[in-house]
Amino acid sequence: RKEVEQDPGPFNVPEGATVAFNCTYSNSASQSFFWYRQDCRKEPKLLMSVYSSGNEDGRFTAQLNRASQYISLLIRDSKLSDSATYLCVVNPQGAGNKLTFGGGTRVLVKP
Amino acid sequence: NAGVTQTPKFQVLKTGQSMTLQCAQDMNHEYMSWYRQDPGMGLRLIHYSVGAGITDQGEVPNGYNVSRSTTEDFPLRLLSAAPSQTSVYFCASKTGLQTGELFFGEGSRLTVL
């Protein structure tokens, strides 16, 4: 089993709709969680950190479910510019600063 | 703001050739790392460094060497290129904090024929 798993998609989303997807992780002692965004042929960039209590940044909401070992990302009122690959990133306990990346979930927002 | 700078952006090698991918950051970050990204595989850690003079292996270190003589620079060396090393390579850096944001270079596309 991969340490961090994501549905590769693509998730085809009508503009203005809501889309949500999950990421599962295998190390129950993982401590830090992040969502990164990667545009086609570009470098990944931090979208948001994921906190235990869940957190929101504009149209984006991230949640952590430790019991079931997954994090989620929800995008409301999808924009064409939200089309990208969303990478789930986990910092396992004891790994220091090493981060483990999921394979990414591709989201395509269409008019 | 320069951030993380990688060179070259594109490179074509023949099997057996050697080359060095350069990476420099101007944010005084302690942690630097190299990833490769292949279709369907996500980003995989090759080597990383937690400070000048300190390097360690990641998930896929074979065929690659690194050194960290200064805080700013973290070059990645391919000793004898193989077609399996055809990939997109990203250098990334962050502060020593576990929650710190990882900043990436723009990537280097390497093709080994």
Side-chain angles (χ1 to χ4, degrees):
Chain A
R1 181 185 174 186
K2 290 183 181 178
E3 284 192 66
V4 181
E5 291 199 78
Q6 295 183 251
D7 182 338
F11 284 63
N12 293 298
V13 185
E15 192 176 8
T18 296
V19 61
F21 41 89
N22 295 339
C23 160
T24 59
Y25 59 94
S26 60
N27 187 329
S28 60
S30 296
Q31 295 183 317
S32 303
F33 308 88
F34 311 88
W35 284 106
Y36 278 69
R37 171 192 168 127
Q38 186 173 26
D39 294 315
C40 188
R41 302 178 78 84
K42 296 286 191 179
E43 73 274 20
K45 293 183 179 178
L46 178 66
L47 177 66
M48 58 197 302
S49 302
V50 185
Y51 303 123
S52 296
S53 55
N55 48 301
E56 192 173 300
D57 183 0
R59 298 180 293 107
F60 297 84
T61 301
Q63 295 201 314
L64 167 64
N65 185 319
R66 284 196 181 273
S68 299
Q69 293 180 214
Y70 73 87
I71 65 173
S72 64
L73 182 66
L74 182 146
I75 307 173
R76 284 186 299 277
D77 187 22
S78 297
K79 311 292 184 190
L80 297 177
S81 57
D82 294 333
S83 296
T85 297
Y86 292 85
L87 303 172
C88 170
V89 184
V90 175
N91 180 215
Q93 186 184 40
N97 278 303
K98 288 194 294 181
L99 301 175
T100 302
F101 284 75
T105 295
R106 191 169 172 216
V107 172
L108 296 174
V109 181
K110 301 190 174 180
Chain B
N1 294 338
V4 180
T5 304
Q6 279 182 243
T7 56
K9 287 188 168 48
F10 301 93
Q11 183 71 51
V12 178
L13 291 177
K14 294 181 180 177
T15 296
Q17 287 185 316
S18 62
M19 76 157 298
T20 299
L21 297 176
Q22 302 291 345
C23 176
Q25 54 91 8
D26 61 0
M27 297 173 282
N28 202 31
H29 284 168
E30 296 132 325
Y31 181 85
M32 296 187 73
S33 54
W34 277 101
Y35 290 87
R36 60 176 289 174
Q37 187 173 35
D38 304 291
M41 301 291 291
L43 284 146
R44 291 182 293 169
L45 183 64
I46 305 171
H47 285 286
Y48 67 99
S49 169
V50 297
I54 306 169
T55 64
D56 208 344
Q57 295 181 351
E59 182 185 354
V60 288
N62 292 342
Y64 308 95
N65 275 357
V66 291
S67 60
R68 185 94 180 268
S69 56
T70 67
T71 300
E72 294 78 20
D73 300 299
F74 191 46
L76 178 72
R77 297 183 191 84
L78 281 71
L79 305 174
S80 177
S84 60
Q85 294 179 303
T86 293
S87 187
V88 179
Y89 291 84
F90 287 101
C91 179
S93 73
K94 66 189 293 291
T95 67
L97 296 173
Q98 278 196 317
T99 54
E101 176 180 354
L102 195 60
F103 290 87
F104 286 85
E106 293 183 336
S108 300
R109 293 185 175 273
L110 175 67
T111 301
V112 182
L113 303 175

